[in-house]
Amino acid sequence: MATDRTISAVVVGDVMLDSWLRCSAKRLAQEAPVPVMSLEATEEAPGGAANTAANLVALGARVRLLGAVGDDACGDKLMQSLHLLGVETDLVTVPGRRTAHKRRLVSGGQLTARYDEEDLDVLSEQAERELLGRLGEAVRAADVVIACDYGGGVFTPAVRRALAGSPLLVVDAHAVAPWGECAPAAVLPNYAEVVHLLGDAGEPVDRLAYLTARSDRLMELTRAAIVVTTLDGEGTLLHRRGRPPYRTYARPAPQHMATGAGDTYTAAFALWLAGGASPEEAAEAGQAAAGVVVRRPGTAVCTRYELLRALRSQEGAVQPAERLAQLLDGHRRRGERVVFTNGCFDVLHRGHVTYLEQAGRLGDVLVVAVNSDASVARLKGPGRPLNPCDDRMSVLAALNDVDYVTEFDEDTPERLLRMIRPELYVKGGDYTAEMLPEAPLVRSLGGEVRVLGYLSDHSTTAIIGRMRSLP
């Protein structure tokens, strides 16, 4: 994101509790040819608008959630769960109303049944007045407002009107047409909802071509500045006036694993927009976040760390210096701290891994610069390196704590340091900061220099010496 401050988000909408009942089927029932399920575990998590709020907190936002729950045990359980996750809840309790509860029965990794308890009636006048009274103050203090409208009765015409003029209104709704009067910043309908909005019947063979041809019409009907059409396993298509649609790509996952992925997408997309990212960057962030949670069972959230890792993996860890400098500019716009280190890394050993792990914990992005083959030969002498530079960089890129790897041909990385301007320059070994020739340059560029711990008898030279001493 383009800011290092904490984004304040308000989520308004239909909240629910998701329960996942993990079972095993060991026999058929006597009453009918159906399996008898033996319950082994129950997992519960916030769902719907509450899941969007939980994802926003995990991504680093300050979140206030408004909606309605019943005066029942399910509502109490949902609010307790949200409190533990760090979501500020401002939910109206409606006597006699059932809190939406969706239970999913899973056996052998397969979804076998789902049953719901919910009231879809429009809020009573008293509940509506109470919700409206809370909305005004919350919206005024927000950087972004997210409306999660799943037809659960929260969004009366008056509640929708109260959100018009919000600083940045992002709408995830089953029916987007009623939201046109609010002129939202963005709406996120799925493909079926778009087809219904356009009034078309049948299933086109090429969904992308169908949506691309109707992009202008879609913008007119929604009255939104941005329309993101989700295409499940095919990714998304982002529409903006005067531009061709922009597509993101998804890695296919089983349908039952995609539960809540739309909430995660909405959270990341809205947060990135609020942070100053372009709509296309926000769409990529949403897609990457959804890609994290669809690999997990149940209703899951994506953390900020996981999302940043996923976005970096899309670019690839090994980068030429010029492209790396551009990528790091983007990370800094999102308020991230760049850590830089360098070395030959001819034979990767425990000492390397230990200090790279330490370095990775000192910032948000760890860059490792690797001496080229010619540079290693000049520094280490004949017979070095043992491993060519491409191999050394590939091994480093596979380490979990390393974000980017690049090559330099000089004896010192001064040219790279001038290009990258890291906030922190680290080295591992038996050095002091004063011994490092790069230290004055780093400090002149506004950076900090730090020497990390050293594991004795863990060096490439020592390993090669032991190898050569063998019979």
Side-chain angles (χ1 to χ4, degrees), residues 380-398:
K380 302 294 184 180
R384 301 286 299 274
L386 299 180
N387 295 299
C389 190
D390 286 347
D391 290 358
R392 290 181 280 131
M393 290 197 296
S394 295
V395 172
L396 286 164

Side-chain angles (χ1 to χ4, degrees), residues 178-208:
W179 287 93
E181 62 180 346
C182 298
V187 295
L188 290 83
N190 64 28
Y191 179 75
E193 291 157 359
V194 166
V195 172
H196 179 75
L197 176 67
L198 293 170
D200 294 332
E203 176 71 17
V205 175
D206 189 336
R207 299 199 296 179
L208 290 169

Side-chain angles (χ1 to χ4, degrees), residues 240-441:
R240 283 209 280 169
R241 288 182 177 84
R243 299 192 181 201
Y246 179 86
R247 185 182 177 187
T248 66
Y249 294 83
R251 290 172 56 196
Q255 185 63 33
H256 74 276
M257 296 289 284
T259 301
D263 304 326
T264 303
Y265 184 104
T266 299
F269 176 82
L271 190 59
W272 250 240
L273 274 186
S278 70
E280 291 77 14
E281 289 172 330
E284 292 290 356
Q287 189 69 73
V292 170
V293 299
V294 297
R295 306 295 157 196
R296 298 174 178 165
T299 305
V301 298
C302 174
T303 67
R304 176 183 174 85
Y305 175 79
E306 290 167 334
L307 175 52
L308 294 176
R309 297 289 304 185
L311 289 170
R312 288 167 203 156
S313 68
Q314 292 176 1
E315 286 283 355
V318 178
Q319 293 288 341
E322 291 73 16
R323 176 58 179 156
L324 176 58
Q326 295 174 352
L327 292 171
L328 293 175
D329 284 343
H331 289 294
R332 286 197 179 87
R333 288 197 298 271
R334 296 192 287 269
E336 296 168 35
R337 176 177 166 91
V338 176
V339 181
F340 180 99
T341 191
N342 65 280
C344 299
F345 302 98
D346 196 2
V347 177
L348 195 68
H349 53 72
R350 182 183 171 192
H352 291 139
V353 174
T354 299
Y355 106 77
L356 291 174
E357 287 176 347
Q358 294 173 1
R361 291 194 290 267
L362 296 176
D364 300 297
V365 185
L366 176 59
V367 177
V368 180
V370 181
N371 294 76
S372 69
D373 293 345
S375 177
V376 174
R378 290 194 302 270
L379 293 171
K380 302 294 184 180
R384 301 286 299 274
L386 299 180
N387 295 299
C389 190
D390 286 347
D391 290 358
R392 290 181 280 131
M393 290 197 296
S394 295
V395 172
L396 286 164
L399 296 179
N400 188 57
D401 293 283
V402 175
D403 296 299
Y404 294 111
V405 183
T406 194
E407 178 184 5
F408 67 100
D409 197 46
E410 301 82 6
D411 291 345
T412 71
E414 289 191 5
R415 181 181 66 88
L416 273 176
L417 288 168
R418 293 182 188 278
M419 292 176 62
I420 292 174
R421 305 175 69 91
E423 281 72 30
L424 179 61
Y425 175 68
V426 301
K427 286 289 283 185
D430 50 355
Y431 302 100
T432 64
E434 290 68 29
M435 294 169 60
L436 300 174
E438 300 87 358
L441 173 60

